[in-house]
Amino acid sequence: MTGLESILAQITGDAAQEAEKLLAQGRQEAAASLDAAKAEAEKKAQEILDQGEARALAIRERAASAAQLKQRNRMLAFKQQLIEEALAAGLSSLEEAPAEDYFAALLGLAARYAQPGPAEMRLSARDLKRLPADFPARLKEAAPQADIAISQKPWETGGGFLLVTGDIDINCTFQAIFEELREPLRDAVGRLLFAEG
């Protein structure tokens, strides 16, 4: 082997060694990059999985909350319906009360709403027919501040009366009284129907 061949062989050997070294380094860098990319991909996959689980949990919580709200609204509507039915039953029982109790209620209303001076009580045709004989005298005792005459002309009402004092008409029908006292009555009926314990 000549000197040139020896130098060429040395250069070829050195180049092969350098190429092998660079190739090994490239493999290591590629493996490290692959490991880093794999780790990054696993990290991203875990983040996506965690976000998906968080979204799923939020959706489940919203659905549960919406279901609870819907159930509460249904229960509230049911309670309101029961209260309205109880109020309607109360009004009906007052309008259909035995004559003694019914006219005692009218006397109580007259005592409460009568103003001083002359007035006229207008009753329904039904009430005029069944008016107790002593009702005018009892009316004077119940509302002594007023001079209340009972009109013989019927006024159409379910129950109760219209009290006319001068230019003022005071609606003393049971329906009007119930409407005036609707909220306190609803609260009282609600407490009775839904008292806990």
Side-chain angles (χ1 to χ4, degrees), residues 102-122:
Y102 179 88
F103 285 103
L106 295 188
L107 290 171
L109 288 173
R112 180 174 179 185
Y113 290 101
Q115 304 295 314
E120 182 181 63
M121 179 181 281
R122 296 181 184 169

Side-chain angles (χ1 to χ4, degrees), residues 8-186:
L8 284 177
Q10 177 69 34
I11 291 173
T12 303
D14 288 347
Q17 274 183 336
E18 187 62 29
E20 189 58 40
K21 191 170 144 187
L22 287 173
L23 192 56
Q25 185 181 355
R27 283 187 193 125
Q28 280 182 334
E29 287 175 5
S33 290
L34 187 60
D35 288 345
K38 186 177 176 184
E40 183 65 24
E42 286 175 358
K43 180 181 172 188
K44 289 283 187 198
Q46 188 60 46
E47 286 175 3
I48 290 169
L49 184 62
D50 291 346
Q51 289 172 357
E53 287 175 355
R55 283 189 199 129
L57 179 62
I59 289 169
R60 281 195 302 271
E61 287 174 352
R62 280 195 305 270
S65 178
Q68 287 174 346
L69 180 62
K70 191 173 184 180
Q71 180 64 24
R72 277 195 304 266
N73 286 343
R74 278 190 197 142
M75 185 58 74
L76 179 61
F78 178 68
K79 285 181 177 183
Q80 289 173 343
Q81 178 185 348
L82 287 178
I83 289 170
E84 289 302 321
E85 288 174 6
L87 287 174
L91 178 60
S92 178
S93 70
L94 192 54
E95 289 175 344
E96 300 302 321
E100 184 178 327
D101 295 336
Y102 179 88
F103 285 103
L106 295 188
L107 290 171
L109 288 173
R112 180 174 179 185
Y113 290 101
Q115 304 295 314
E120 182 181 63
M121 179 181 281
R122 296 181 184 169
L123 299 165
S124 68
R126 175 181 175 242
D127 290 347
L128 284 172
K129 287 178 190 172
R130 63 186 189 139
L131 192 68
D134 66 343
F135 187 77
R138 291 173 57 201
L139 183 58
K140 286 190 187 307
E141 288 176 18
Q145 74 278 18
D147 180 21
I148 303 174
I150 298 171
S151 172
Q152 294 307 305
K153 182 179 177 188
W155 182 65
E156 288 312 310
T157 177
F161 57 89
L162 180 69
L163 190 62
V164 180
T165 306
D167 293 340
I168 301 171
D169 292 354
I170 303 171
N171 189 342
C172 293
T173 61
F174 297 146
Q175 182 68 43
I177 302 300
F178 265 63
E179 285 304 318
E180 178 184 330
L181 302 173
R182 178 164 284 286
E183 289 310 311
L185 285 172
R186 285 177 55 82

